[in-house]
């Protein structure tokens, strides 16, 4: 009798197990594919023999055709797990990976991170991996900016990428806060045992967005002494589809191991006038004080004025014609075969960007 009951119980358990659906495995789901090709020709009126536009980053080749970037991106929006990978090559990739702390395997990786966004966490998201810095009013991809060339602040004052963990969390309808713990500035392998921490906050409304970023940590090779700090804020105005503007301010310091502190500060302002669906004009003006020569190699107060005319040939293809004048308070720019003998630098650039995908 007991044996029969045991057999019936086992049979019932087996039937129940067969009818219970197996745990659902996580799958990648849809992947957004995007990319771009970005090239330019820059005419340097100083005609420097080394063919270098100084205090520039992604457009620093003078009197030459050049490939700024070719990039392919794969992204899956977290649901609750996601990822993003940006792969490419070109002048921009050479620059953002010029640090000696970048492994060879990462030289063609702009970003590579995984994301977690739990459904019950009220918008909280955490990312781990390599990602573009939140600092600054501009980004690495040309077509996502208003001007072709990047500002002095983006070129000199702030990092390009970080490797570590970042979080973001909305608090109400008008504020989003974030926290970062990273190896440092522009490196995957850390150059010391310390970590850099950062705080981000964004206030937004329908017409105004105000972003704040602060980062602090040791950035010197082999020692945790001497902290580097930077405060970055951008106030962006979007009153209409015909006119937008922003003001960007940066203040940074780097404590020396010995006495003293390096310091840099700058402010930039830009606007975009959307004349029609295809044509836009974007002026930019900025002032930058490299008080100790830490970021540009020379103690100087530099300024730049840029005027960019943008024409969208069709959806996904845009061209930009840009005039820019850089000038310094002392001889800094190369001219011909003479070095650091000129106080200004004028350039005329024509750039073309072809991009596809929503997030190219």
């Amino acid at each position: 009798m007991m044996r029969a009951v045991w057999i019936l119980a086992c049979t019932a358990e087996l039937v129940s197990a067969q009818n219970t659906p197996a745990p659902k495995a996580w799958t990648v789901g849809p992947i957004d594919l995007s990319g771009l090709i970005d090239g330019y020709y820059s005419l340097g009126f100083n005609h420097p023999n080394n063919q270098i536009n100084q205090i520039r980053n992604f457009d620093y080749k003078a009197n030459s055709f050049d490939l700024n970037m070719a990039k392919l991106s794969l992204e899956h929006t977290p649901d609750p797990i996601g990822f993003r990978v940006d792969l490419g090559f070109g002048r921009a990739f050479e620059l953002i990976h010029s640090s000696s702390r970048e492994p060879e395997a990462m030289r063609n990786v702009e970003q590579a991170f995984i994301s977690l966004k739990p459904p019950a966490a009220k918008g909280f998201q955490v990312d781990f991996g390599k990602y573009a810095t939140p600092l600054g009013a501009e980004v690495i991809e040309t077509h996502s900016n208003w001007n072709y060339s990047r500002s002095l602040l983006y070129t000199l004052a702030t990092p390009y990428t970080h490797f570590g963990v970042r979080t973001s969390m909305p608090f109400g309808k008008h504020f989003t806060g974030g926290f970062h713990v990273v190896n440092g500035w522009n490196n995957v392998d850390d150059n010391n045992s310390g970590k850099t921490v950062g705080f981000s906050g964004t206030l937004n409304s329908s017409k105004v967005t105000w972003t704040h970023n602060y980062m602090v940590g040791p950035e010197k090779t082999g020692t945790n002494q001497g902290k580097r700090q930077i405060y970055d804020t951008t106030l962006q105005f979007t009153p209409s589809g015909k006119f937008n503007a922003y003001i960007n301010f940066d203040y940074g310091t780097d404590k020396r191991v010995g006495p003293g502190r390096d310091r840099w500060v700058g402010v930039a302002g830009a606007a975009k006038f959307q004349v029609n669906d295809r044509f836009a004009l974007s002026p930019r003006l900025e002032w930058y004080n490299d008080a100790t020569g830490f970021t540009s190699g020379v103690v100087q107060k530099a300024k730049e004025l840029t005027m960019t005319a943008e024409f969208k040939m069709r959806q996904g293809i845009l061209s930009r014609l840009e005039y820019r004048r850089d000038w310094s308070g002392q001889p800094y720019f190369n001219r011909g075969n003479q070095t650091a003998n000129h106080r200004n630098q004028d350039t005329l650039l024509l750039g073309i960007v072809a991009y596809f995908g929503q997030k190219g």
Side-chain angles (χ1 to χ4, degrees):
M1 180 66 178
M2 292 297 295
R3 184 174 180 179
V5 171
W6 179 80
I7 292 174
L8 289 174
C10 290
T11 302
E13 184 177 348
L14 179 61
V15 172
S16 176
Q18 290 175 341
N19 293 333
T20 301
K24 186 178 179 180
W26 176 78
T27 58
V28 172
I31 297 176
D32 295 322
L33 177 66
S34 58
L36 64 90
I37 298 176
D38 173 9
Y40 68 92
Y41 179 85
S42 176
L43 173 63
F45 290 97
N46 284 356
H47 298 285
N49 280 4
N50 62 357
Q51 294 185 287
I52 298 297
N53 295 321
Q54 291 164 272
I55 55 176
R56 302 288 186 85
N57 51 9
F58 305 150
D59 63 322
Y60 69 82
K61 291 295 292 183
N63 303 327
S64 175
F65 291 99
D66 200 29
L67 176 68
N68 176 41
M69 178 189 294
K71 191 183 82 162
L72 186 66
S73 300
L74 302 171
E75 182 173 10
H76 173 63
T77 303
D79 60 352
I81 301 174
F83 69 89
R84 174 158 183 159
V85 179
D86 295 338
L87 304 173
F89 56 90
R91 197 67 64 184
F93 276 76
E94 290 181 9
L95 185 63
I96 63 179
H97 298 116
S98 60
S99 168
S100 61
R101 308 299 300 185
E102 286 280 352
E104 190 65 31
M106 298 294 290
R107 297 284 175 171
N108 299 103
V109 180
E110 178 191 333
Q111 298 189 105
F113 59 85
I114 58 175
S115 304
L116 176 63
K117 192 174 185 179
K122 299 181 179 180
F124 172 80
Q125 181 171 327
V126 58
D127 302 321
F128 171 74
K130 182 178 182 180
Y131 56 88
T133 186
L135 279 69
E138 298 170 313
V139 296
I140 294 173
E141 292 76 20
T142 300
H143 69 285
S144 296
N145 302 310
W146 297 347
N147 305 98
Y148 190 94
S149 66
R150 306 306 184 273
S151 63
L152 296 175
L153 270 63
Y154 187 81
T155 303
L156 299 175
T158 61
Y160 297 117
T161 62
H162 308 284
F163 191 92
V165 177
R166 67 178 176 184
T167 66
S168 64
M169 177 72 182
F171 297 91
K173 296 181 179 180
H174 302 292
F175 180 77
T176 299
F179 180 70
H180 309 253
V181 181
V182 298
N183 284 341
W185 290 34
N186 304 323
N187 57 3
V188 172
D189 294 339
D190 208 343
N191 60 347
N192 53 50
S193 61
K195 294 295 173 281
T196 292
V197 298
F199 304 90
S200 299
T202 300
L203 290 163
N204 63 80
S205 68
S206 60
K207 304 295 184 181
V208 179
T209 300
W210 194 6
T211 301
H212 302 264
N213 293 288
Y214 171 75
M215 302 194 87
V216 58
E219 299 299 332
K220 296 177 179 60
T221 301
T223 178
N224 294 334
Q225 298 182 33
K227 300 296 190 293
R228 183 180 300 176
Q229 302 181 66
I230 186 166
Y231 169 67
D232 164 83
T233 183
T234 300
L235 184 61
Q236 183 168 354
F237 306 93
T238 54
S240 71
K242 296 293 185 180
F243 174 78
N244 296 298
Y246 72 76
I247 299 173
N248 181 209
F249 173 81
D250 284 324
Y251 178 77
T253 66
D254 193 281
K255 180 69 174 63
R256 299 169 184 168
V257 175
R261 182 185 298 272
D262 292 303
R263 179 172 56 87
W264 59 99
V265 60
V267 61
K272 184 173 185 179
F273 300 90
Q274 192 68 49
V275 180
N276 54 44
D277 291 341
R278 289 176 175 253
F279 185 70
L281 289 172
S282 298
R284 181 181 65 211
L285 178 65
E286 62 181 320
W287 171 87
Y288 186 76
N289 182 12
D290 194 358
T292 57
F294 181 75
T295 61
S296 69
V298 175
V299 177
Q300 64 174 319
K301 293 180 181 178
K303 307 178 186 70
E304 68 94 0
L305 172 65
T306 299
M307 176 60 76
T308 306
E310 175 183 288
F311 179 73
K312 291 184 178 179
M313 303 177 187
R314 57 180 300 174
Q315 183 63 35
I317 302 179
L318 64 83
S319 62
R320 285 180 179 162
L321 180 65
E322 180 172 290
Y323 167 76
R324 173 166 167 170
R325 180 178 180 86
D326 298 277
W327 66 97
S328 175
Q330 63 175 327
Y332 175 76
F333 299 101
N334 300 335
R335 187 172 189 178
N337 60 3
Q338 297 178 318
T339 59
N341 72 320
H342 216 57
R343 292 178 182 266
N344 55 63
Q345 172 184 259
D346 295 89
T347 58
L348 184 65
L349 179 146
L350 176 63
I352 298 178
V353 185
Y355 57 95
F356 68 92
Q358 295 181 348
K359 302 176 183 179

